Amino acid sequence: MDEFSFIDSIKQDSYRQSSLIKGVGDDAAVFRQSSEDIVVAVDTFVENVHFSKETMDLFHVGHRILAANISDIAAMGATPAFYLVSIVVPKHYTSMECKNIFKGMQSLATKYRMDLIGGDTVAGEEMSVSVTVLGYVTKTKARYRSAAVEGDLVFVTGTLGDSQAGFHILTNTGAYQDETYYVNKHRLPVPRVEFAHYINEIDRVALNDISDGIGNEAAEIAASSGVTIQLNEHKIPTTESFSQFPADLQFKWKLFGGEDFELVGTVSKNNWTFVQEAANKAGIDVTEIGYVRPYRHNHVYLHKDNRLFPLKKDGYNHFKQVKE
Ligand code: ADP
Ligand code: MG
């Protein structure tokens, strides 16, 4: 693969962001921004660790890694603007395959008017794609995990467990209901940028994106904020046909499955209507799933079948029921 013609082929003909001064083609990109805070995140996907050609086309790989990154930007309450891609290409990869990774990214980038402003292309043993995303947020409005306060309610966007259900369908042959829906949720996740933007006016929101399962993401909010989060198992939203899967898998996927790239957050009760309206405007669902209480022994408790269980980072502890 010729590096120069490859870079030329993935280069945008024109740029969308008005703050951009210099994109691809020099030693580094330049943009100018003085009125907003700049938010940056990076994510790396390695073949056979984070993705496999068996369950995804390279187009999906590109889409998914950019979605994961944009999701982090959304979880900061920011709007994505630029991305840079560092790619390690093994010898057996064709330039067409590499271009497909970029095509997958471009489809999302177009949607959010993002510009590809740089990267690096090197040969190596294993395919790996590392994407850096830059975004903007109104000064002082970045959403931190440390912002949860006792008495807040806990909400989540969309439905949980769908991505894992999609992966299950791809790796276990059988007849499934809504097969395409689940597979697309796995391969082509949509980050919650618009919703994160619409809740901008609220003074205080703790926000995290669900890349690792709601159990873990809620624990991160609780630990950063020094509080305990109590989740109500039966309120956790799932797709209607999710009930077709074995109960133990449903439970595992919705709590620890991850990679749904939904947002989990906490807000004061006074702002709940505003959050619901924001979801409405963004055309998505938002569900109240629990509340924030003072710290007590554990960061996350799960209320299930009238009992309370500590939710551990590595999974649900069946044996240690606690008294409220
Ligand atoms: P340098 O030797 O200065 O690092 P490169 O030859 O690596 O320059 O890159 C030339 C230009 O192409 C730079 O603007 C760089 O950001 C861009 N570029 C290289 N690889 C990629 C890539 N995978 N994705 C996007 N832009 C890239
Ligand atoms: Mg370089």
Side-chain angles (χ1 to χ4, degrees), residues 3 7 10 24-27 85 87 102 116 118-121:
E3 188 192 323
I7 294 173
I10 56 167
V24 167
D26 215 302
D27 300 308
V85 181
I87 183 165
F102 281 80
L116 173 64
D120 206 14
T121 309

Side-chain angles (χ1 to χ4, degrees), residues 164-189:
Q164 286 298 303
F167 182 74
H168 178 86
I169 289 172
L170 285 166
T171 47
N172 293 273
T173 38
Y176 299 98
Q177 245 176 293
D178 299 331
E179 187 170 325
T180 314
Y181 165 84
Y182 290 109
V183 166
N184 280 343
K185 285 281 223 150
H186 178 67
R187 287 175 167 169
L188 302 165

Side-chain angles (χ1 to χ4, degrees), residues 268-311:
S268 85
K269 291 195 176 99
N270 299 337
N271 286 322
W272 177 229
T273 318
F274 194 94
V275 171
Q276 286 175 301
E277 284 165 5
N280 234 335
K281 255 205 276 185
I284 61 166
D285 289 330
V286 65
T287 312
E288 179 195 345
I289 55 167
Y291 66 98
V292 179
R293 43 188 273 190
Y295 180 77
R296 187 164 169 269
H297 308 305
N298 267 290
H299 281 305
V300 184
Y301 286 105
L302 186 70
H303 194 260
K304 183 181 188 316
D305 307 327
N306 285 322
R307 294 187 298 173
L308 207 55
F309 300 92
L311 209 53

Side-chain angles (χ1 to χ4, degrees), residues 226-281:
V227 294
T228 285
I229 283 178
Q230 187 161 319
L231 299 176
N232 219 321
E233 198 259 350
H234 80 270
K235 285 190 178 175
I236 293 175
T238 54
T239 301
E240 213 178 319
S241 59
F242 196 65
S243 59
Q244 71 187 295
F245 301 104
D248 59 327
L249 292 182
Q250 284 181 50
F251 185 81
K252 196 170 122 193
W253 294 343
K254 73 179 183 184
L255 283 159
F256 301 104
E259 292 174 341
D260 285 311
F261 302 116
E262 296 294 347
L263 294 173
V264 53
T266 87
V267 277
S268 85
K269 291 195 176 99
N270 299 337
N271 286 322
W272 177 229
T273 318
F274 194 94
V275 171
Q276 286 175 301
E277 284 165 5
N280 234 335
K281 255 205 276 185

